[in-house]
């Protein structure tokens, strides 16, 4: 298959799995997933499946990345927090939609490797940190959008507190060894609105800094 055919097939698969928002599809067309997959799995970068990356983590399957991005409904002036940098693929897509993206991971190696890819791709509106993502990034709060790419038992309180009124958080919720639910949380003037989107599987959200 030529590169163009591969890309067409990739976008067709995304649409067939429910990613229909044009801005999301355009961002996913612009950001090459292949840039974020190394070694043995590079040739499978355009398949709709999660793939292993460093530190025992995974790069999520593209359709899930697309559905989470679509649910966030990122606007051009938004400031977005991502908890769980991983390969950097999700942050790179968000960078095409938002004014600024802050991304945190507990593994400094993942942050370093992701930052190298951002630099190579010329993406300048992502700030990456190695830190305990379960605490969010209070010094930069409030955020218009928050995305969590690891599963928590409940939407984490510190992250909810860093969401501005009218803001949206997308987070997988559930016990790590069973199927989890992807939840969309909207902060209201008083309280939060919760919407269940679909079943997913993510690595668990862990506290502390990861040992490489």
């Amino acid at each position: 298959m030529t590169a163009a055919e591969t890309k067409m097939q990739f976008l067709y698969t995304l649409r067939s799995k429910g990613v229909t928002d044009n801005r999301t599809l355009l961002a996913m067309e612009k950001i090459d997933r292949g840039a974020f997959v190394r070694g043995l799995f590079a040739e499978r970068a355009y398949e709709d499946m999660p793939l292993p990356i460093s530190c025992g983590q995974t790069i999520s399957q593209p359709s899930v990345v697309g559905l989470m991005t679509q649910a966030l409904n990122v606007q051009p002036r938004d400031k977005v927090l991502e908890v769980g940098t991983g390969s950097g693929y999700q942050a790179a897509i968000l960078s095409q939609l938002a004014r600024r993206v802050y991304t945190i991971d507990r593994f400094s190696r993942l942050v370093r490797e992701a930052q190298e890819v951002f630099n190579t791709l010329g993406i300048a509106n992502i700030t990456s940190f190695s830190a305990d993502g379960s605490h969010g990034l209070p010094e930069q709060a409030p955020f218009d959008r928050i995305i969590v790419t690891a599963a928590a038992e409940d939407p984490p309180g510190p992250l909810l507190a860093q969401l501005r009124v009218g803001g949206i958080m997308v987070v997988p919720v559930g016990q790590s060894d069973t199927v989890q639910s992807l939840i969309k949380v909207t902060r209201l003037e008083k309280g939060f609105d919760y919407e269940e989107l679909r079943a997913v599987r993510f690595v668990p959200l862990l506290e502390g800094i990861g040992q490489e």
Side-chain angles (χ1 to χ4, degrees), residues 83-179:
V83 176
T85 309
S87 67
Y89 179 58
Q90 175 75 73
I93 287 164
L94 293 169
S95 77
Q96 305 299 296
L97 302 168
R99 177 171 58 89
R100 178 146 290 283
V101 178
Y102 292 88
T103 183
I104 311 178
D105 203 288
R106 59 199 293 271
F107 291 105
S108 56
R109 177 181 170 183
L110 292 179
V111 171
R112 270 197 317 277
E113 289 178 356
Q115 191 60 57
E116 283 167 16
V117 183
F118 303 152
N119 295 345
T120 303
L121 296 178
I123 300 172
N125 64 336
I126 300 176
T127 307
S128 51
F129 298 88
S130 174
D132 181 348
S134 63
H135 299 304
L137 206 58
E139 61 273 24
Q140 292 294 342
F143 294 95
D144 302 292
R145 302 288 186 269
I146 298 177
I147 185 168
V148 186
T149 59
E153 288 191 17
D154 298 293
L159 300 183
L160 290 172
Q162 291 170 37
L163 196 59
R164 72 162 177 80
V165 174
I168 295 169
M169 177 161 80
V170 173
V171 54
V173 171
Q175 304 292 341
S176 59
D177 54 350
T178 59
V179 174

